[in-house]
């Protein structure tokens, strides 16, 4: 039995497993900020995976090619699940004052104009709704009749190119409202693509009838890994050597224990492992090896997301993030692997 088939057969149980979020809710009674930080980590991780799949479908609709054929049955359900994230975001909006400093106290932002016109809860909620609505509409078009239509893919990619940096600024970087980065959105988008490729490698590295296509997926993973590490290092280099004290302080906070261990793990699993392990041709062509690497890359992406969010809330965030990721993952996997996958069993024709 293939992994997607197993997910379809166990979709109901996976949704019930998402009931573990009740444990996180109980945690929230004692420490709502830490519990919501864990939920934000889960939200950013699973949404990022779906958005990476969205980007891949849009690119294929623009360029064509055979590389998407074996991946479509895995990526399409992930994209079709995007409307679900509007519901999953509600706890964060309701508890925004526990998560984002500017939501609790507008004076937390030194640039008062920004706090007044941009970082305020009504504008934040409106932007978030617009982002999720746009991704959902374009995503459903990409998995439907627009799967091979550049007229759909072109505006979908333009919207995505604007939406990812806005999401990164609003939901992640504004945890420290005075920290800004012009390259963060691009780095986040490439990391999301890497997560989607790793997910495809884990679930469907080489289905029957597509012998040899695992090598295409491996090359895409190498390219995404190199892009993510390059953009991440460039951002660090500019902040550290550009005499930018506040940006340097953001990194210094993340170089203390235990965060530096998470950073080292993220770099090793998302950059070093896929590049080094997939250089030999025999490794690139092995679906089993690719599946294992995909699993470790996903773990590395999760460590990266925790590294981004956790230092604002303390070490206990690692535990709440793990609990939130498992709980939300059960809900998401049950839906994406069950009813959505059942409706999207077709594949893009080989060579489309």
């Amino acid at each position: 039995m293939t992994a997607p088939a197993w997910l379809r057969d166990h979709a109901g149980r996976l949704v019930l497993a998402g009931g573990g979020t009740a444990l996180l809710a109980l945690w929230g009674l004692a420490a709502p900020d830490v519990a919501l930080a864990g939920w934000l980590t889960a939200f950013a991780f699973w949404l990022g995976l779906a958005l990476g799949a969205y980007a891949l479908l849009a690119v294929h609709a623009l360029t064509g090619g055979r590389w998407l054929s074996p991946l479509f049955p895995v990526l399409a359900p992930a994209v079709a699940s995007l409307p679900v994230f509007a519901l999953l975001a509600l706890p964060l909006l309701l508890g925004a004052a526990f998560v984002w400093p500017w939501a609790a106290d507008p004076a937390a932002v030194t640039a008062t104009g920004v706090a007044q016109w941009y970082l305020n809860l009504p504008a934040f909620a409106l932007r978030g709704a617009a982002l999720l609505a746009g991704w959902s509409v374009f995503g459903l078009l990409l998995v439907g009749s627009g799967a091979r239509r550049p007229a759909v893919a072109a505006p979908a990619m333009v919207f995505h190119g604007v939406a990812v940096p806005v999401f990164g600024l609003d939901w992640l970087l504004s945890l420290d409202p005075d920290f800004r980065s012009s390259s963060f959105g691009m780095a986040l988008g490439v990391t999301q693509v890497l997560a989607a490729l790793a997910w495809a490698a884990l679930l469907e590295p080489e289905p029957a009838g597509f012998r040899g296509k695992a090598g295409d997926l491996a090359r895409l993973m190498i390219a995404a890994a190199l892009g993510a590490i390059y953009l991440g290092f460039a951002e660090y280099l500019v902040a550290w050597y550009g005499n930018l004290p506040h940006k340097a302080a953001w990194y210094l906070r993340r170089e203390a224990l235990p965060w530096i261990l998470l950073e080292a793990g993220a770099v090793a699993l998302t950059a070093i492992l896929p590049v080094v392990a997939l250089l030999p041709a025999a490794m690139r062509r092995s679906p089993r090896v690719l599946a294992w690497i995909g699993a470790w890359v996903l773990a590395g992406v999760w460590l990266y997301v925790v590294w981004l969010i956790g230092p604002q809330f303390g070490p206990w965030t690692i535990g709440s993030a793990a609990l939130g990721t498992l709980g939300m993952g059960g809900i998401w996997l049950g839906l994406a692997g069950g009813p959505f996958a059942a409706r999207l069993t077709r594949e893009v024709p080989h060579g489309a």
Side-chain angles (χ1 to χ4, degrees):
M1 178 181 292
T2 64
W6 185 91
L7 288 177
R8 287 195 296 269
D9 291 345
H10 296 80
R13 295 178 184 177
L14 288 170
V15 172
L16 292 177
T21 54
L23 297 176
L24 192 62
L26 292 176
W27 191 335
L29 296 177
D33 55 340
V34 176
L36 285 170
W39 193 250
L40 175 61
T41 302
F43 183 79
F45 175 78
W46 292 111
L47 175 63
L49 196 158
L51 292 180
Y54 170 107
L56 290 169
L57 291 190
V59 167
H60 180 269
L62 281 173
T63 64
R66 300 181 179 183
W67 57 270
L68 186 70
S69 299
L71 309 183
F72 187 86
V74 174
L75 298 180
V79 175
S81 72
L82 282 168
V84 175
F85 288 96
L87 296 175
L88 298 176
L90 287 178
L92 295 168
L93 292 177
L94 295 175
F98 294 105
V99 181
W100 292 280
W102 51 264
D105 179 15
V109 185
T110 57
T112 56
V114 174
Q116 181 179 1
W117 297 108
Y118 190 86
L119 287 181
N120 60 80
L121 193 54
F124 174 84
L126 182 61
R127 288 193 302 272
L131 296 181
L132 291 171
W135 277 321
S136 298
V137 171
F138 281 120
L140 293 177
L141 289 173
L142 287 171
V143 301
S145 60
R148 286 169 289 166
R149 291 174 56 191
V152 172
M157 281 302 297
V158 171
F159 175 82
H160 188 66
V162 174
V164 170
V166 173
F167 172 80
L169 175 63
D170 281 7
W171 293 73
L172 301 176
L173 290 190
S174 73
L175 293 169
D176 183 347
D178 292 326
F179 180 78
R180 302 170 188 86
S181 172
S182 58
S183 64
F184 179 77
M186 186 179 297
L188 182 64
V190 175
T191 303
Q192 291 171 348
V193 169
L194 177 61
L197 291 170
W199 177 250
L202 177 63
L203 289 192
E204 193 86 5
E206 192 173 68
F210 290 96
R211 186 68 183 171
K213 304 312 293 181
D216 291 346
L217 179 55
R219 294 183 186 95
L220 289 170
M221 287 181 64
I222 291 174
L226 290 173
I229 193 62
Y230 169 77
L231 291 169
F233 179 73
E235 182 183 22
Y236 171 82
L237 189 66
V238 169
W240 191 256
Y241 289 103
N243 194 24
L244 303 173
H246 183 75
K247 287 192 175 185
W250 189 87
Y251 282 99
L252 285 172
R253 192 180 305 119
R254 286 159 176 76
E255 290 183 358
L257 289 172
W259 312 113
I260 192 171
L261 300 178
L262 271 65
E263 180 185 19
V267 171
L269 294 176
T270 61
I272 298 174
L273 174 66
V275 173
V276 173
L278 294 175
L279 280 178
M283 301 286 275
R284 291 198 303 272
R285 297 191 184 109
S286 171
R288 180 170 297 180
V289 168
L290 201 58
W292 276 104
I293 292 176
W296 285 111
V297 168
L298 284 173
V301 172
W302 183 80
L303 290 175
Y304 170 69
V305 177
V306 178
W307 177 80
L308 285 174
I309 297 171
Q312 299 296 129
F313 302 93
W316 282 105
T317 308
I318 300 173
S320 69
L323 192 58
T325 303
L326 291 174
M328 188 181 295
I331 298 171
W332 185 82
L333 288 171
L335 293 174
F340 295 143
R343 291 176 177 271
L344 295 166
T345 55
R346 69 176 179 83
E347 296 180 1
V348 175
H350 193 55

